[in-house]
């Protein structure tokens, strides 16, 4: 099977498995796991933040960022199709007790004017706006890159309003590699950032949350409250260190594969490309084939290729480490047969 459902499907590399086997570990709830401590120091240094925390997942990292920077009854600004709003089971309301103020973006970018407009003024009727969340790359827009200009403009107005900015950077390194910038060029425009080690970076489990010391301290307590205080989790951190030090630059290969897939799909009758992929995600509208998503995906599966439904008439393909260029060529011919 050529599995293009998600970059979460990557298998840990041989080097990761060796690092996991050989990792020195301790009780991380006691702060005594040397591998976790090393990963957290590395993540803080790479993001240019005071501290970092190893967390179980991207969702947990995002939720800890919300829990640590808001109070119940607050309002947070989120993009209309952002993961935090769309895909986290309503956790911001269920856990942090905050309500979302939704701003519709364009390819994941909220206009600074719309964000400014969404910030509540001081009025006894209003909730307090306590956090602005950005997502980069933006998943539902097909892994699109939120530009540094956009981030900088939103960060400036957030600083002026005294409101922290969180980046859901599940795939921030994809933006870094595709735009030829440094990680810190992006993270300078936020107070906290979450980055997944488990997607294109290949680790089996985990994300990092980085930010100011006091935010990370609060997040550490919230992580414990939520049952995310793990013991000898250095086995996972050992792999995470390889993700951060050895798996970043190769993301460019995933982007090339997505681009190749998009080029071929663009030429196919009946398929409409919804995005020129900036990174590793290709979203395609299949309505003109007159097939339902289920029919299309089922036929594709019989050809040995997996993808996912991404809303009515839309299919998502995601490239990653475990699909080769040859696999992409095969997938292109399979898609052609299906339509
Ligand atoms: C995958 C993803 C997450 C959540 O990560 P999990 O580890 O699956 O919880 C958060 N934000 C974005 C943009 C994602 O793509």
């Amino acid at each position: 099977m050529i599995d293009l459902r998600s970059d979460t499907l990557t298998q840990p590399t041989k080097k990761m498995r060796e690092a996991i086997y050989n990792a020195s570990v301790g009780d991380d709830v006691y702060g005594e796991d040397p591998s976790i401590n090393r990963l957290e120091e590395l993540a803080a240094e790479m993001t240019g933040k005071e501290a970092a925390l190893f967390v179980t997942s991207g969702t947990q990292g995002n939720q800890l960022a919300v829990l640590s920077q808001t109070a119940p009854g607050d309002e947070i600004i989120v993009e209309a199709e952002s993961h935090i709003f769309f895909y986290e089971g309503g956790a911001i309301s269920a856990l942090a007790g905050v309500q979302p103020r939704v701003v519709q973006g364009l390819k994941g970018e909220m206009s600074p004017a719309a964000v400014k407009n969404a910030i509540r003024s001081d009025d006894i009727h209003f909730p307090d706006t306590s956090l602005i969340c950005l997502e980069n790359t933006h998943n539902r827009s097909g892994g699109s890159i939120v530009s540094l200009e956009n981030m900088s403009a939103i960060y400036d107005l957030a600083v002026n309003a005294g409101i922290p900015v969180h980046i859901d950077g599940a795939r921030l390194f994809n933006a870094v590699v595709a735009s030829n910038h440094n990680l810190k060029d992006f993270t300078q425009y936020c107070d906290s950032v979450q980055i997944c080690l488990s997607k294109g970076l290949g680790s089996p489990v985990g994300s990092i949350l980085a930010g100011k010391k006091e935010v990370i301290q609060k997040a550490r307590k919230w992580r414990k409250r939520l049952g995310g205080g793990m013991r000898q989790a250095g086995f996972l951190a050992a792999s995470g260190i390889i993700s951060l030090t050895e798996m970043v630059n190769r993301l460019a290969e995933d982007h090339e594969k997505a681009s190749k897939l998009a080029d071929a799909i663009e030429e196919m009758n009946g398929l409409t490309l919804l995005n020129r992929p900036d990174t590793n995600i290709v979203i395609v509208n299949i309505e003109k084939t007159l097939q339902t998503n289920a029919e299309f995906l089922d036929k594709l599966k019989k050809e040995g290729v997996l993808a996912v439904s991404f809303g009515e008439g839309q299919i998502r393909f995601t490239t990653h480490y475990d699909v080769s260029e040859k696999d992409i060529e095969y997938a292109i011919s399979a898609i052609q047969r299906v339509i």
Side-chain angles (χ1 to χ4, degrees), residues 234-259:
F235 292 116
L236 302 172
S239 174
I241 290 167
I242 292 176
S243 288
L244 291 180
T245 54
E246 298 184 29
M247 299 294 281
V248 169
N249 290 334
R250 61 144 302 278
L251 291 172
E253 297 162 20
D254 297 349
H255 304 163
E256 275 165 38
K257 286 177 274 187
S259 178

Side-chain angles (χ1 to χ4, degrees), residues 53-214:
L53 184 68
F54 179 66
V55 299
T56 57
S57 66
T59 302
Q60 189 181 64
N62 286 338
Q63 292 305 320
L64 295 181
V66 176
L67 285 160
S68 308
Q69 297 177 95
T70 64
D74 286 352
E75 190 166 80
I76 70 171
I77 297 175
V78 289
E79 199 280 324
E81 306 242 347
S82 64
H83 197 280
I84 291 177
F85 178 64
F86 211 94
Y87 284 128
E88 299 190 5
I92 55 167
S93 305
L95 303 179
V98 301
Q99 66 182 26
R101 180 74 179 267
V102 174
V103 172
Q104 181 70 53
L106 188 65
K107 291 189 170 177
E109 287 189 354
M110 298 182 282
S111 90
V115 172
K116 192 169 180 196
N117 207 33
I119 295 173
R120 299 286 193 157
S121 55
D122 190 14
D123 183 307
I124 195 172
H125 298 88
F126 293 160
D128 295 324
T129 304
S130 55
L131 187 67
I132 298 170
C133 298
L134 308 180
E135 181 174 314
N136 207 357
T137 62
H138 192 272
N139 182 1
R140 285 192 57 81
S141 305
S144 57
I145 298 172
V146 173
S147 69
L148 290 173
E149 293 69 33
N150 183 259
M151 290 185 61
S152 149
I154 291 174
Y155 187 66
D156 278 355
L157 69 90
V159 168
N160 273 332
I163 299 169
V165 173
H166 171 67
I167 304 177
D168 175 356
R171 296 189 182 84
L172 188 56
F173 276 113
N174 292 81
V176 167
V177 168
S179 64
N180 268 320
H181 285 105
N182 297 314
L183 182 62
K184 284 179 194 158
D185 294 336
F186 289 92
T187 54
Q188 68 178 316
Y189 300 127
C190 75
D191 297 277
S192 62
V193 55
Q194 179 277 118
I195 300 174
C196 285
L197 303 169
S198 62
K199 291 185 172 166
L201 300 185
S203 274
V205 176
S207 280
I208 54 156
L209 175 68
K212 285 209 175 69
K213 251 187 201 137
E214 71 249 27

Side-chain angles (χ1 to χ4, degrees), residues 315-336:
I315 301 290
R316 188 187 79 171
F317 300 90
T318 307
T319 58
H320 55 79
Y321 191 56
D322 291 356
V323 288
S324 66
E325 202 144 324
K326 258 220 166 83
D327 291 339
I328 294 296
E329 280 163 26
Y330 176 82
I332 290 167
S333 69
I335 294 166
Q336 189 74 65

